[in-house]
Amino acid sequence: MRVLFIGDIVGRPGQDYVREVLPGLLRARRIDLVIANGENATNGRGINRLACEALYDAGVEIITLGNHTWDQKDTPALLEEDLRIVRPANFPEGTPGRGHTVCRVAGRPFLVINLMGRTFLSQLDCPFREVDRILGEHPDIRHILVDMHAETTSEKLAMGWHLDGRVSAVVGTHTHVPTSDERVLPNGTAYITDVGMVGPRNGILGMDRHRVIRKMRTQMPVKFEVASGARQFCAVEIELDDETGRATGIERIFLCETGE
Ligand code: FE2
């Protein structure tokens, strides 16, 4: 079984690039499931219904989120009614939506879990305890991917090792910068600290660099906007054993346009 996980999709440029490159990748790599982090899909902040539909049309099947979950006003309702989109599971009890979802891939149940780290981010519930709880609820599912949306490398590595042998893959998101540490851990869990992003590559994390620099230099409020120009596409392909759910490989995919 082959799963494609696409890193944080930023704004319209990110959505458009996914639509342009995904059909070719799916054909060439015989992918069975496409999961994407969509928490920056609407103008770099959160995701609305329109952006969700655009990603589904492009071939994305499950969408994960992160710290920008609540930045668009229609997201709470969307999360309540659409089982294909998940927000971090360790948000406080009573939060709209769900932190995990089960879909079917090649006739088998596939569990997708979204978590958020706490270092330099909101002080949510403990992601380690929360993932243990969810896994305890689904003892029979063997094919499991965890999107660990977090700022720090150490928190993501800790989650990878915590879950080694218990899930098929732990992929990091949020920093928008791909890391080159993809590997299968000793007990069969595919791991990468950060998948990277899909969006304008000459901005700063996908946002217009001039505005970001102005804010940093002046410390004045500056409204950020999604950058334009050349784009990049970051994803990982994870290969899983059909029977056991153990990862047998993880490969980084990086595509980009040149020029400004
Ligand atoms: Fe984020």
Side-chain angles (χ1 to χ4, degrees), residues 16 20 41 47 54 57 86 90 111 116 125 150 153 164 166 168 178 181 195 199 219 254:
D16 291 345
E20 289 168 35
I47 188 164
D57 284 348
V86 290
N90 52 326
L111 173 62
M116 198 164 106
D125 294 345
T153 310
D164 182 28
R166 300 165 65 202
S168 311
D181 62 340
V195 178
Q219 296 299 312
F254 182 83

Side-chain angles (χ1 to χ4, degrees), residues 16-208:
D16 291 345
Y17 205 29
V18 169
R19 192 165 42 228
E20 289 168 35
V21 304
L22 191 52
L25 280 176
L26 297 185
R27 266 195 309 276
R29 292 171 175 266
R30 293 186 290 128
I31 301 291
D32 298 295
L33 174 66
V34 181
I35 308 169
N37 186 293
E39 78 131 9
N40 305 111
T42 299
N43 298 323
R45 292 183 169 274
I47 188 164
N48 60 16
R49 218 174 277 272
L50 206 65
C52 260
E53 289 306 326
L55 295 183
Y56 294 145
D57 284 348
V60 173
E61 295 166 271
I62 301 286
I63 296 171
T64 56
L65 298 173
N67 53 304
H68 289 297
T69 294
W70 310 118
D71 289 0
Q72 299 292 325
K73 64 178 185 309
D74 56 356
T75 312
L78 188 64
L79 279 164
E80 288 289 346
E81 67 199 44
D82 188 347
L83 296 174
R84 297 169 293 179
I85 177 166
V86 290
R87 43 85 176 151
N90 52 326
F91 273 130
E93 212 178 311
T95 303
R98 58 194 62 73
H100 66 279
T101 192
V102 180
C103 57
R104 289 196 82 78
V105 184
R108 293 168 204 281
F110 194 108
L111 173 62
V112 179
I113 304 173
N114 192 190
L115 299 170
M116 198 164 106
R118 299 185 290 185
T119 310
F120 307 134
L121 288 168
S122 301
Q123 293 305 302
L124 304 185
D125 294 345
C126 174
F128 297 92
R129 286 193 190 89
E130 182 59 23
V131 77
D132 289 347
R133 193 190 64 73
I134 295 168
L135 293 178
E137 277 180 3
H138 300 276
D140 299 329
I141 300 185
R142 292 172 170 177
H143 298 80
I144 305 167
L145 178 138
V146 174
D147 172 0
M148 176 66 175
H149 195 80
E151 192 79 65
T152 60
T153 310
S154 58
E155 217 174 359
K156 291 188 256 195
L157 272 164
M159 188 58 75
W161 285 109
H162 179 64
L163 295 177
D164 182 28
R166 300 165 65 202
V167 306
S168 311
V170 175
V171 293
T173 56
H174 177 66
T175 72
H176 294 201
V177 178
T179 56
S180 60
D181 62 340
E182 74 279 7
R183 63 185 282 201
V184 177
L185 297 174
N187 294 308
T189 296
Y191 174 82
I192 184 167
T193 296
D194 208 293
V195 178
M197 69 155 191
V198 184
R201 67 186 306 235
N202 294 321
I204 294 174
L205 311 186
M207 305 309 278
D208 178 80

